Amino acid sequence: MELERQILHKNREVGRAFSQMTLDDDYNLPDFKPDLTKVIKERGKIHLDEIHVNNGHVWFKGVMEFDILYRTDLDNRKINSLNGEISFQESLSIDGTEELDPVKVEGRIEDISVSVINSRKLSIRSLVEFTAVAEKPEEAVVLTGIGEQAECEVETEQMNVLELMTDKKDTFRIRKEIALSSNKPNMDEILWRSVELRGLSSHLRNGEIEVSGEALIYVFYAGIEEEERLQWFETTVPVQGSVECNICEEALVHRIDANLAQVNLEIQPDEDGEERNIMLEMVINLSICLWNEEQIEMISDIYALDRQVNPAFQTVYFEKLLVKNEAKCRIADKIELDAEQEDILQICSNEEKLTVEQTTVTDEGVLVEGTLTVEILYMTPDEAMPVGAKRAYIPFSQVIEMPKAENPVKIHLDGGIEQVTTVLTDSRTIDVKAVISLNLLAFEQQERQTITDIEETELDLAALQQRPGIVGYIAREGDRLFGIAKENHTTVENLMETNHLTGPFVKPGEKLLIIKTVG
């Protein structure tokens, strides 16, 4: 018997692990930096340098980069900044992982705090969460044909399945020169900067993946002019790029995550030699998963009348697309300054970070819960402390519609910030309005018994002759006409003809007359 098979590729999750660790270190100010009197603002970012897998353990190391904006005791420069890094090394246990298994590790800063030990020394403490997910490439083999000469009775099943076409990483770079507006003084030093991606979308074209959106740029700097020392500006830069992908087609199901990996802002002279330009360089990492959605017809059972046909089965799991949906969540809240903070004279900039903390499948769909972190940098009326900052955490929840599924569901959820506005209502209160996008990709897990091989032997005629030639049968719940025909050595066609059935189906309680067929 010539078996025809189709191979479907996918990733199978081997396991995942989660851990929290505290990064705690003292940091001495470099000699060229002025003394510190108060920390105004701090932030951190995790960079992973190496990931190794060995005997059920995932080892990784990297650094937490931090930036600090602080108050000095200088009369001519009351605000300064510094940056540094803290190294770390950690391991997570995932049973079943081997050396060459691909493992994805993500690090997220849950909280960071900086306290002043003395004018030249800081204590930096951060709580970091690490998540590691190990997946193995896997093939699912389904039987789709047995050749024209086999003369067997076969039962087939139509299935909608997803085949993984690619799971890879890529990058693209953006280099853009930004010029100051004419009403801004020349730059002396960048004290604080923020670059955030907004409204990113991806499109598949034949042979490439296009990514578009914009980068929101905030720059807080020291001006050249004595009377205009502290300055700031904001602008947007279009994000347009593409990466090659030979298998790309518009019809493919895709999930493309974009992450801002590296950012560099450097002051450069303009054509007149004045420090009025900034060179922006960005590296955007892309995590690319592409699936092909197709319908296959697989042979789910088989037998013959003239010989014994014994199929061997194994349990295989397939995925099918349940839903691809996008929801918009609108957030509105007020931010109040703490009692010890200086009043707000003017808002300089705001930075935002979106964190999805939990997804829950409900009867209405997928409940998404998370936090929007908003950090405000502002000018104060106090000349001794001209700059202040406020960080606020705004919770949100949103239900994304999803059809009900009979089987377990695997959820991929990506969140992005589309728009944030901050309005000063009085010297101590800020109104915040935001729109975030939540993109849901849900796969339903299908469990099937598939035929891996078929063994053929001679028919046991003696056993067949002992079986009655005519049988009366009452169908039970879950009976298939094919299974009844196979058990009683006849065909579905004969059962339909004998019992005047209009289709290859049978209802519970239905009475059937079965006549044994001898091939």
Side-chain angles (χ1 to χ4, degrees):
M1 190 180 300
E2 185 179 345
L3 303 183
E4 299 170 7
R5 298 181 172 93
Q6 182 174 348
I7 300 175
L8 300 173
H9 299 86
K10 61 176 183 173
N11 280 344
R12 177 177 62 87
E13 185 176 305
V14 177
R16 61 176 58 220
F18 171 85
S19 74
Q20 286 184 332
M21 68 179 298
T22 300
L23 298 178
D24 195 349
D25 200 5
D26 292 343
Y27 180 80
N28 294 314
L29 269 65
D31 293 339
F32 61 89
K33 286 292 183 180
D35 286 356
L36 180 149
T37 59
K38 182 180 180 180
V39 173
I40 300 172
K41 186 177 174 66
E42 70 282 314
R43 70 177 172 208
K45 186 173 183 179
I46 297 296
H47 285 284
L48 296 173
D49 299 324
E50 296 181 27
I51 300 174
H52 301 287
V53 182
N54 186 22
N55 295 330
H57 286 82
V58 180
W59 303 85
F60 54 91
K61 66 178 182 179
V63 297
M64 183 193 75
E65 296 181 353
F66 61 85
D67 298 298
I68 297 173
L69 188 69
Y70 68 94
R71 164 83 159 82
T72 76
D73 57 359
L74 300 179
D75 292 333
N76 64 334
R77 177 72 67 84
K78 296 182 182 300
I79 304 297
N80 214 300
S81 62
L82 58 89
N83 56 69
E85 60 184 38
I86 299 175
S87 300
F88 63 83
Q89 183 169 327
E90 178 75 333
S91 70
L92 294 173
S93 177
I94 303 180
D95 293 336
T97 52
E98 300 173 357
E99 184 176 357
L100 299 180
D101 289 345
V103 177
K104 299 176 183 178
V105 180
E106 293 183 354
R108 181 171 69 91
I109 295 177
E110 180 70 18
D111 184 54
I112 182 171
S113 62
V114 179
S115 57
V116 179
I117 298 176
N118 57 52
S119 62
R120 305 297 304 172
K121 193 172 186 178
L122 296 171
S123 173
I124 300 172
R125 185 180 179 88
S126 178
L127 179 64
V128 184
E129 296 179 347
F130 293 102
T131 303
V133 179
E135 294 182 328
K136 284 187 177 182
E138 192 174 74
E139 293 181 347
V141 181
V142 296
L143 183 65
T144 57
I146 57 172
E148 296 181 358
Q149 307 300 321
E151 296 183 357
C152 291
E153 302 295 319
V154 298
E155 182 181 42
T156 61
E157 179 182 1
Q158 298 279 349
M159 289 181 58
N160 292 321
V161 297
L162 289 172
E163 179 176 13
L164 181 65
M165 306 298 290
T166 187
D167 181 0
K168 68 172 186 175
K169 296 184 181 297
D170 212 324
T171 62
F172 72 91
R173 299 173 183 270
I174 292 177
R175 181 180 172 89
K176 176 75 173 179
E177 190 171 69
I178 303 171
L180 285 180
S181 58
S182 58
N183 63 335
K184 292 292 184 181
N186 293 355
M187 292 176 285
D188 182 35
E189 180 185 2
I190 294 177
L191 300 174
W192 193 263
R193 51 89 173 144
S194 170
V195 179
E196 300 175 1
L197 299 179
R198 289 283 190 270
L200 283 188
S201 61
S202 54
H203 303 279
L204 303 187
R205 303 285 185 252
N206 290 333
E208 66 178 10
I209 299 172
E210 295 181 355
V211 178
S212 60
E214 63 181 17
L216 189 58
I217 316 296
Y218 295 107
V219 175
F220 184 67
Y221 69 94
I224 294 293
E225 303 298 330
E226 185 67 30
E227 67 275 9
E228 296 178 321
R229 297 297 297 178
L230 296 177
Q231 294 289 324
W232 64 92
F233 73 91
E234 63 177 299
T235 187
T236 58
V237 172
V239 173
Q240 298 283 345
S242 63
V243 296
E244 291 185 2
C245 182
N246 295 330
I247 65 170
C248 273
E249 298 177 0
E250 293 185 19
L252 294 180
V253 178
H254 63 279
R255 181 190 183 215
I256 301 173
D257 295 336
N259 176 50
L260 196 55
Q262 296 179 20
V263 176
N264 186 44
L265 288 171
E266 186 176 331
I267 299 175
Q268 291 192 341
D270 62 9
E271 295 179 353
D272 299 326
E274 297 183 331
E275 305 288 342
R276 300 191 58 79
N277 288 346
I278 293 178
M279 180 57 67
L280 167 66
E281 293 181 311
M282 296 189 297
V283 178
I284 298 177
N285 285 345
L286 299 178
S287 296
I288 301 168
C289 284
L290 304 178
W291 296 269
N292 182 39
E293 186 180 19
E294 61 178 309
Q295 186 178 76
I296 62 172
E297 185 176 36
M298 77 171 188
I299 296 176
S300 55
D301 205 352
I302 185 172
Y303 69 95
L305 298 178
D306 60 348
R307 63 197 185 280
Q308 192 71 31
V309 175
N310 300 312
F313 293 90
Q314 75 171 12
T315 302
V316 178
Y317 297 91
F318 301 95
E319 292 181 341
K320 76 171 182 178
L321 179 64
L322 181 62
V323 70
K324 187 174 185 181
N325 200 0
E326 180 180 356
K328 305 289 186 184
C329 179
R330 300 185 181 277
I331 301 172
D333 204 350
K334 292 183 181 294
I335 298 177
E336 301 279 352
L337 293 185
D338 298 332
E340 69 276 8
Q341 289 185 290
E342 299 82 3
D343 287 353
I344 301 174
L345 181 64
Q346 185 177 0
I347 295 175
C348 301
S349 67
N350 45 277
E351 301 174 47
E352 298 84 31
K353 182 176 70 172
L354 179 67
T355 304
V356 175
E357 296 167 348
Q358 186 172 346
T359 57
T360 308
V361 177
T362 68
D363 292 338
E364 291 76 26
V366 178
L367 174 62
V368 182
E369 297 173 285
T371 303
L372 178 68
T373 304
V374 181
E375 298 193 58
I376 308 292
L377 184 66
Y378 62 89
M379 301 296 293
T380 80
D382 186 354
E383 293 184 1
M385 177 56 71
V387 178
K390 172 63 178 178
R391 179 185 300 163
Y393 302 94
I394 305 174
F396 70 87
S397 64
Q398 177 72 34
V399 175
I400 307 176
E401 292 184 358
M402 184 180 73
K404 291 185 179 180
E406 298 178 356
N407 303 303
V409 177
K410 184 178 181 181
I411 291 174
H412 300 284
L413 185 74
D414 301 318
I417 301 172
E418 290 201 351
Q419 181 182 357
V420 178
T421 58
T422 54
V423 178
L424 186 63
T425 56
D426 59 47
S427 62
R428 304 195 64 79
T429 307
I430 301 170
D431 277 344
V432 179
K433 293 183 179 180
V435 179
I436 63 175
S437 61
L438 299 169
N439 299 307
L440 172 67
L441 189 60
F443 298 155
E444 184 176 359
Q445 312 293 303
Q446 305 176 94
E447 178 182 330
R448 292 291 187 275
Q449 296 294 316
T450 63
I451 299 174
T452 58
D453 204 358
I454 295 176
E455 180 186 8
E456 297 180 275
T457 59
E458 292 185 1
L459 190 64
D460 188 348
L461 294 176
L464 181 60
Q465 289 172 355
Q466 291 179 1
R467 302 178 66 169
I470 300 177
V471 174
Y473 183 81
I474 301 176
R476 293 169 292 185
E477 186 73 34
D479 273 349
R480 301 161 14 249
L481 207 59
F482 184 90
I484 296 172
K486 178 180 180 180
E487 181 67 24
N488 292 276
H489 202 77
T490 186
T491 67
V492 171
E493 183 180 357
N494 288 343
L495 282 177
M496 291 174 59
E497 182 178 348
T498 302
N499 295 276
H500 307 290
L501 301 176
T502 58
F505 309 102
V506 63
K507 299 177 182 178
E510 192 168 356
K511 297 178 181 179
L512 299 175
L513 181 65
I514 304 172
I515 301 175
K516 181 174 65 175
T517 302
V518 179

